[in-house]
Structure formats: C-alpha cells, structure tokens
Amino acid sequence: LAVFGGYPALWHEVDPVEKAGVLSTIYETYVRRDVVDFLGVRNASGFNDLVRVLAGQAGGLVNYSALSSLAGVDVKTVRSYLEILEQTYVIHIQRPYATNPRKEIRKSPKCPFVDNGLLNAAMGDFSPLEDSSDPGPLLDNLVVSEISKATDARTRYWRTTSGAEVDVIVQHPDRVVPIEVKSVHLRRPVLGRGFRSFLVKYEPERAFILHRGARFQDKTGKTLVDFLPVHEGLLLRPWG
C-alpha cells in the first residue's frame, strides 16, 4: 500500500513493473486528462505542475505563495486547483487542529494524496519502501489517507508555532485521538517532544504511535499510549 496504493486495477497484478505501468496509466488518463478536461481547467500545464509539486512535498504544510511560484499560477488559482483535486479524490485537504491561535497553527492545511499509488505515479518513482532514503513521507501519507477514508470523524493535524507536531488528530464530537507515525522500528516506548506536548496539553484518554516494530503500551499522565505496527493499526482502526 505504501508504494502502489489500493486501486482495484492492481489487485490481480503481481509484477511491480506491471503495477507501475497500470498506475502511470491511471495517472495520465485520470489526473492529467480527465480531470482537466471534465472541469475545464484552462491552464493544464500549471495544474499538472501543481500536482507534481504537491506529490514532491508529500503532505507538508501548504504555502500558497510558494505553490503559486512553482506551478506558475496565481494564488487564487492555486486555491481553486486544490479544491478541484479534493473534489475529484486526488488529495485530501487536512486542516489544523487548534484551540490557541497564538501558539498553534490554525490556517495552513496539508494536502496528502488519497492514494499512495497516485502519489508515486505523480513523482514517477515506485522504488520499494526499504530502498527509500526517507520512507517517512510515504508512511505518513498512507496513514493519513487510510484513516481519513475509514472514519466519519474529522482528521486534522496539530502543530505549534515553535514546531511541535502530531501527524493526525482524529476529532470526534466528544474527544480527540492523536496518532503519530514513525518510519523506524521502535524497540521500546519512546515519545517525541511534540507528541508529549500534545498529551500534556489536551490529556486525551487514548493515543497511538504507528511504527515498523512490535506492539506494546505505555502511559503518560492520563493517556494510555498504544504502540502498534502500521499494518495492524490500519487494519484494527482502534481510534474510531
């Protein structure tokens, strides 16, 4: 899933080269042509450049001015194109969770791709996860997209102006559930400073860290923290 995503057209493909070919075709026909033609995008080149830029930053904070410069379109058009990409299920606009506007980011969204296969097709890179020098963005995108598709709750992220961050906040009407993604194999309970900061401030009942190792638990203050293998967390969805 982290490399080829979950499009049904891939279910019967075994050969990675064939999978890459199918995804490249989906990207070329759906994103580069169908979406552009159906919605009457005037600047097809700018639109496609924007998709590639978003893929390259893989869910980083959106800077409209920077995207405008890189894609060669104005800021208003960037915002319009992002709406189109969300409406056509190419990206998911992930907005920030904030209760303190002076210390927490509350405006800049992130734009993870709905499917990792489409993300990698936009970048033209289907390298195995274990060969990647930085698998973090792919795993982050996978977790955010799969959680967003599998819950009716709002899925946000949290970040302070000083840089503390939590990858996913599942916002239920009566509670929030923070989820952090680690691309490493943790051998013991380790909480990053940003994640711990959120637990101290909001005191959620449950929290989850998805990583590439085994399952174990820890407790910080009032919060029970479950460390789960990524695949197990996405299968069980205990935050829902």
Side-chain angles (χ1 to χ4, degrees), residues 160-212:
T160 66
T161 53
S162 61
E165 185 171 4
V166 176
D167 294 320
V168 187
I169 305 296
V170 180
Q171 187 179 1
H172 296 281
D174 59 341
R175 70 193 190 283
V176 294
V177 183
I179 303 168
E180 185 73 2
V181 186
K182 297 293 185 184
S183 61
V184 297
H185 182 139
L186 297 177
R187 301 186 182 279
R188 59 185 178 85
V190 178
L191 297 181
R193 183 177 299 177
F195 197 72
R196 189 181 296 276
S197 296
F198 185 91
L199 301 188
V200 170
K201 178 176 176 57
Y202 290 102
E203 298 185 329
E205 182 180 341
R206 298 287 300 278
F208 298 89
I209 293 181
L210 305 185
H211 67 120
R212 302 175 77 179

Side-chain angles (χ1 to χ4, degrees), residues 8 21 26 38-39 91 98 130 154 162 167 173 184 191 215 232:
I26 291 173
F38 180 72
L39 294 172
I91 65 170
E130 57 269 19
R154 293 178 177 176
S162 61
D167 294 320
V184 297
L191 297 181
R215 181 174 188 169
E232 184 175 333

Side-chain angles (χ1 to χ4, degrees), residues 1-116:
L1 280 177
V3 176
F4 294 109
Y7 274 97
L10 301 177
W11 290 351
H12 301 297
E13 294 291 350
V14 177
D15 186 351
V17 175
E18 293 295 328
K19 288 185 177 183
V22 171
L23 284 167
S24 296
T25 300
I26 291 173
Y27 177 73
E28 289 293 326
T29 55
Y30 179 60
V31 179
R32 289 178 59 87
R33 292 196 304 222
D34 291 357
V35 171
V36 170
D37 293 343
F38 180 72
L39 294 172
V41 174
R42 294 181 179 179
N43 186 345
S45 176
F47 181 83
N48 289 318
D49 285 345
L50 177 64
V51 176
R52 285 193 293 271
V53 171
L54 291 173
Q57 69 176 34
L61 287 181
V62 167
N63 181 316
Y64 293 105
S65 296
L67 290 178
S68 170
S69 176
L70 291 169
V73 296
D74 59 49
V75 170
K76 182 178 179 180
T77 301
V78 167
R79 293 178 182 272
S80 173
Y81 286 173
L82 292 181
E83 290 179 3
I84 289 173
L85 288 168
E86 183 174 47
Q87 291 166 3
T88 53
Y89 304 103
V90 176
I91 65 170
H92 163 68
I93 296 180
Q94 186 188 19
R95 305 190 186 282
Y97 176 81
T99 61
N100 185 339
R102 291 189 301 172
K103 294 185 178 181
E104 298 170 339
I105 290 176
R106 61 189 180 94
K107 289 186 177 181
S108 299
K110 293 183 177 183
C111 293
F113 275 59
V114 169
D115 186 88
N116 269 40

